[in-house]
Amino acid sequence: KCRTGPLDIVFVIDSSRSVRPFEFETMRRFMMDIISNLDVGPNATRVGVIQYSSQVQNIFSLKTFFTRADMERAINSIIPLAQGTMTGLAIQYAMNVAFTAQEGARPLHKRIPRIAIIVTDGRPQDRVTEVATQARNAGIEIYAVGIQRADMNSLRAMASPPLEEHVFLVESFELIQQFAKQFQDKLCGVDMCVEREHGCQHSCVSTPGSFYCECNPGYRLNVDGKTCSPIDACADGRHGCQHHCVSVRGSYSCRCRAGYYLSQNKRSCTMIDYCSFGNHSCQHECVSIPSGHYCRCRSGFTLQPDSKSCRATDLCNGVDHGCEFKCVSTEGSYHCVCPEGQQLQADGKTCSKCGAGHVDLVMVIDGSKSVRPQNFELVKQFVNRIVDLLEVSPHGTRVGLVQYSSRVRTEFPLNKYHSADEIKKAVMDVEYMEKGTMTGLALKHMVEHSFSELEGARPLSHNIPRIGLVFTDGRSQDDISEWARRAKESGIVMFAVGVGKAVEEELRAIASEPVEQHFSYSADFTTMTHLVENFSLNICPEEGKGETEIRSPCECEALVQFQTNTVAILQSLTEKNILWARSLAQMTARLEDLEKQIANKK
């Protein structure tokens, strides 16, 4: 048997019309004689057979059969094609199809020899030189066997070098069976690993006429083709170790840094919980770290020099408490209080809002390029600070928002949202427009659309105040005077807020009378929070019109209380005067009676 190592062998058999039936039978026996001496199997030598004439036919591929009996049955069932002699076409098929992984050829990196045995009896009817060169360059070793009328030049053009070992010419079909034994010896050769000093560090693998070295698992062959080096299994980065990878003879193991232990999956690391040992002595909280642990105090307490005990701190001075009026510290906590006459709101920080009246408020904000994205975010925060002042509801205050640059866009109308939270979320979702500053166009849009009943403004007959707030940071690129005038003539109370390069003349033109109470200015965006306070004082006037009133709840409650107390005092005084008058009349009557009695005695 030929046991020099696994091979991938494909027979390329000429079945043209020049090959007579009895001659084709000798070709069958030639193939079977060679196969009978091969060690065939899926991990040993694999065999495929194709025949050709004017076309190519696959008899069986390298992956079809793995026993000699199955191969012999398939070879015996071949029916010759009996047409032309397209040898170049057959070599092309062997290269592109027969020796592919899909058809059962082992990958090139396994270095299993790919051998094509071409058996032909005549001159090719197509070109073979170029396609044979391509096949040899693709790693296919070609043996060219010519019988009887075969063209020697064509055989030499097809075969691999050295030609004296790969080109054979047999005088007749009768002699091909005798040639099979000689060819098998050439194909198998001697065991080069035994006959030669191979120099392989680990193991030697024989191939026909040669050999190659292989390394044990966990090692790779060096560039000298003989020595081996351990494979660094950590180098490719696919180990999955969270901390450290340690390579060990082609494999690896994971290790953790100090203060961690390896988890059950043998890859991830878990920090050692030093606090769980129970000896930390921390008064409040123990926090584990890789190097040990430390003590931490709860909010409102400070860690003492012993690094274990805690002491209460004045949280009002140490945290951003957010109290609108005053912060009061308690042990480990704090709370907010409001001035007399005002109530703390549900957020626990702010005091009574301007909620006694109802308004329709439309804010028109400048989204031009000069504002810049980071400042536009501050503008949105400014808008939400104003919303925080209001009692928003369908029957209370309604809020709409318009943004403008070179064009105008309604972000949401007055009837879109019915709570402050909805409005504030929608404001933060507004996208910055950039481009120009068409303030006049924005005023026109506000008058014609924003305060229409279609977009949620309540009818003028309801006497709900309409308030427009225009926010800008620069000079308008169009005229504002006409639509500022129309806005005020239509009953809209106009407020103008300017920042940075805003033009005072334009702000005054927009603002309602008295102008000083209806326009505000800040030098830059980061210092404009005080404008919110100015706006809150002016948007809550002492008296409203019609069926609702807009008052400061603090002023209103104080006025009512004063009025109630005064009326009570006046009523008390009146009652006392009536009693005193009655007593005086009774005394006068008694004096008159006494005078009469004295006169009668005289």
Side-chain angles (χ1 to χ4, degrees):
K1 299 297 181 183
C2 180
R3 298 183 180 273
T4 58
L7 307 170
D8 285 345
I9 300 177
V10 174
F11 289 95
V12 183
I13 304 301
D14 180 355
S15 65
S16 61
R17 66 173 65 91
S18 63
V19 181
R20 287 169 288 188
F22 74 90
E23 294 175 335
F24 193 82
E25 293 303 316
T26 63
M27 296 176 70
R28 292 186 207 266
R29 290 195 294 274
F30 168 73
M31 289 187 284
M32 289 189 289
D33 286 345
I34 292 179
I35 292 172
S36 67
N37 288 289
L38 296 174
D39 182 19
V40 298
N43 298 316
T45 293
R46 300 183 182 182
V47 179
V49 177
I50 62 176
Q51 68 166 334
Y52 73 94
S53 60
S54 297
Q55 59 186 4
V56 180
Q57 181 185 32
N58 181 47
I59 304 304
F60 59 87
S61 64
L62 293 168
K63 66 179 181 180
T64 306
F65 302 123
F66 297 113
T67 66
R68 283 185 291 274
D70 290 336
M71 294 177 185
E72 290 175 359
R73 276 194 295 271
I75 291 172
N76 282 324
S77 66
I78 298 175
I79 299 175
L81 298 173
Q83 296 174 356
T85 310
M86 303 295 286
T87 310
L89 181 65
I91 297 174
Q92 185 81 40
Y93 181 89
M95 177 175 62
N96 294 341
V97 180
F99 281 109
T100 61
Q102 291 82 356
E103 292 297 306
R106 265 75 63 96
L108 288 172
H109 69 82
K110 290 191 174 182
R111 305 183 65 175
I112 294 175
R114 295 182 174 184
I115 298 175
I117 303 174
I118 303 173
V119 183
T120 179
D121 80 325
R123 182 188 299 274
Q125 294 176 338
D126 57 355
R127 296 181 178 180
V128 298
T129 303
E130 183 178 349
V131 69
T133 301
Q134 293 175 356
R136 293 193 299 269
N137 292 339
I140 301 173
E141 185 178 3
I142 300 177
Y143 287 86
V145 180
I147 304 174
Q148 201 167 314
R149 298 171 295 275
D151 178 54
M152 178 58 76
N153 290 331
S154 298
L155 296 177
R156 295 172 67 88
M158 292 185 288
S160 297
L163 297 179
E164 60 270 16
E165 295 184 6
H166 292 82
V167 177
F168 304 92
L169 184 61
V170 183
E171 293 180 0
S172 67
F173 281 94
E174 290 79 6
L175 297 175
I176 194 170
Q177 276 188 281
Q178 300 174 14
F179 168 73
K181 177 66 171 65
Q182 175 190 352
F183 183 80
Q184 177 194 324
D185 292 341
K186 178 65 66 177
L187 186 64
C188 295
V190 298
D191 189 340
M192 301 298 290
C193 292
V194 175
E195 298 295 329
R196 291 188 181 181
E197 182 66 34
H198 52 76
C200 297
Q201 182 179 355
H202 285 181
S203 59
C204 174
V205 179
S206 287
T207 62
S210 185
F211 68 91
Y212 64 89
C213 299
E214 280 189 348
C215 296
N216 296 334
Y219 293 81
R220 64 162 56 90
L221 195 66
N222 294 328
V223 292
D224 62 5
K226 295 184 178 183
T227 59
C228 301
S229 297
I231 296 173
D232 185 359
C234 298
D236 60 8
R238 294 181 294 179
H239 48 77
C241 297
Q242 184 177 353
H243 287 180
H244 303 300
C245 177
V246 180
S247 184
V248 183
R249 290 189 179 181
S251 185
Y252 67 90
S253 62
C254 298
R255 292 182 184 175
C256 298
R257 294 192 295 267
Y260 294 81
Y261 64 89
L262 197 63
S263 302
Q264 290 184 349
N265 61 15
K266 302 301 181 182
R267 286 180 170 82
S268 60
C269 299
T270 304
M271 189 172 68
I272 298 172
D273 186 4
Y274 292 99
C275 294
S276 65
F277 298 164
N279 58 351
H280 52 76
S281 303
C282 297
Q283 182 180 353
H284 284 183
E285 300 172 2
C286 175
V287 181
S288 288
I289 56 176
S291 59
H293 74 279
Y294 68 90
C295 297
R296 182 173 62 190
C297 296
R298 292 191 294 269
S299 178
F301 292 81
T302 303
L303 192 65
Q304 297 303 293
D306 63 2
S307 299
K308 295 181 179 181
S309 58
C310 301
R311 184 176 179 181
T313 57
D314 184 359
L315 284 180
C316 289
N317 292 327
V319 299
D320 183 13
H321 52 76
C323 295
E324 181 178 344
F325 178 67
K326 185 178 180 181
C327 174
V328 177
S329 289
T330 58
E331 184 174 346
S333 184
Y334 68 91
H335 65 273
C336 301
V337 296
C338 292
E340 185 177 356
Q342 295 189 34
Q343 293 184 344
L344 194 65
Q345 297 299 293
D347 62 4
K349 296 182 179 182
T350 58
C351 299
S352 300
K353 299 181 181 180
C354 173
H358 304 160
V359 298
D360 286 344
L361 171 63
V362 174
M363 288 179 274
V364 183
I365 59 175
D366 186 347
S368 62
K369 183 167 60 177
S370 61
V371 174
R372 299 178 184 267
Q374 63 271 28
N375 290 331
F376 190 73
E377 293 302 313
L378 295 176
V379 172
K380 293 195 289 187
Q381 294 175 21
F382 173 82
V383 170
N384 280 345
R385 290 282 298 276
I386 293 175
V387 174
D388 285 334
L389 298 170
L390 308 171
E391 291 286 355
V392 178
S393 68
H395 302 292
T397 293
R398 299 182 182 180
V399 178
L401 183 64
V402 173
Q403 185 186 173
Y404 73 94
S405 59
S406 298
R407 55 190 179 88
V408 184
R409 181 172 73 202
T410 296
E411 300 295 351
F412 52 85
L414 288 165
N415 56 4
K416 177 72 173 179
Y417 300 113
H418 306 305
S419 72
D421 288 340
E422 290 178 312
I423 293 172
K424 290 167 69 175
K425 182 180 182 303
V427 169
M428 297 312 295
D429 290 339
V430 169
E431 294 184 358
Y432 180 35
M433 293 174 70
E434 296 191 277
K435 298 188 178 180
T437 311
M438 303 294 284
T439 312
L441 184 64
L443 290 170
K444 180 177 183 294
H445 181 90
M446 180 194 72
V447 173
E448 292 184 342
H449 300 285
S450 302
F451 281 109
S452 66
E453 294 183 27
L454 182 65
E455 293 202 2
R458 284 163 285 195
L460 291 171
S461 59
H462 289 188
N463 287 332
I464 303 297
R466 295 182 173 183
I467 298 177
L469 170 62
V470 178
F471 182 98
T472 181
D473 84 321
R475 183 182 295 275
S476 176
Q477 295 174 338
D478 60 352
D479 180 62
I480 66 166
S481 57
E482 179 182 353
W483 285 101
R485 176 179 55 79
R486 289 196 187 187
K488 289 177 278 192
E489 289 177 351
S490 66
I492 302 172
V493 179
M494 295 298 298
F495 287 83
V497 177
V499 177
K501 296 182 180 180
V503 180
E504 181 177 350
E505 180 183 352
E506 291 185 354
L507 298 176
R508 289 179 173 274
I510 294 171
S512 293
E513 296 290 342
V515 172
E516 299 301 330
Q517 294 182 13
H518 291 81
F519 99 94
S520 302
Y521 173 81
S522 179
D524 60 67
F525 289 86
T526 59
T527 60
M528 65 183 183
T529 53
H530 70 279
L531 302 182
V532 177
E533 182 179 354
N534 295 344
F535 184 73
S536 68
L537 293 174
N538 293 325
I539 202 174
C540 300
E542 185 174 273
E543 299 235 354
K545 299 179 181 179
E547 62 187 33
T548 60
E549 293 183 349
I550 308 172
R551 295 182 177 177
S552 166
C554 307
E555 295 173 0
C556 186
E557 291 172 7
L559 180 61
V560 170
Q561 186 64 45
F562 174 76
Q563 183 179 4
T564 301
N565 294 342
T566 303
V567 169
I569 292 171
L570 289 174
Q571 288 177 345
S572 175
L573 290 174
T574 302
E575 291 174 356
K576 290 180 180 179
N577 287 338
I578 291 172
L579 292 174
W580 180 77
R582 288 177 180 173
S583 299
L584 182 60
Q586 292 175 354
M587 290 177 64
T588 303
R590 291 183 62 185
L591 287 171
E592 290 178 350
D593 289 340
L594 289 172
E595 289 176 353
K596 289 179 181 178
Q597 292 177 10
I598 293 171
N600 291 332
K601 288 181 178 179
K602 290 179 178 180

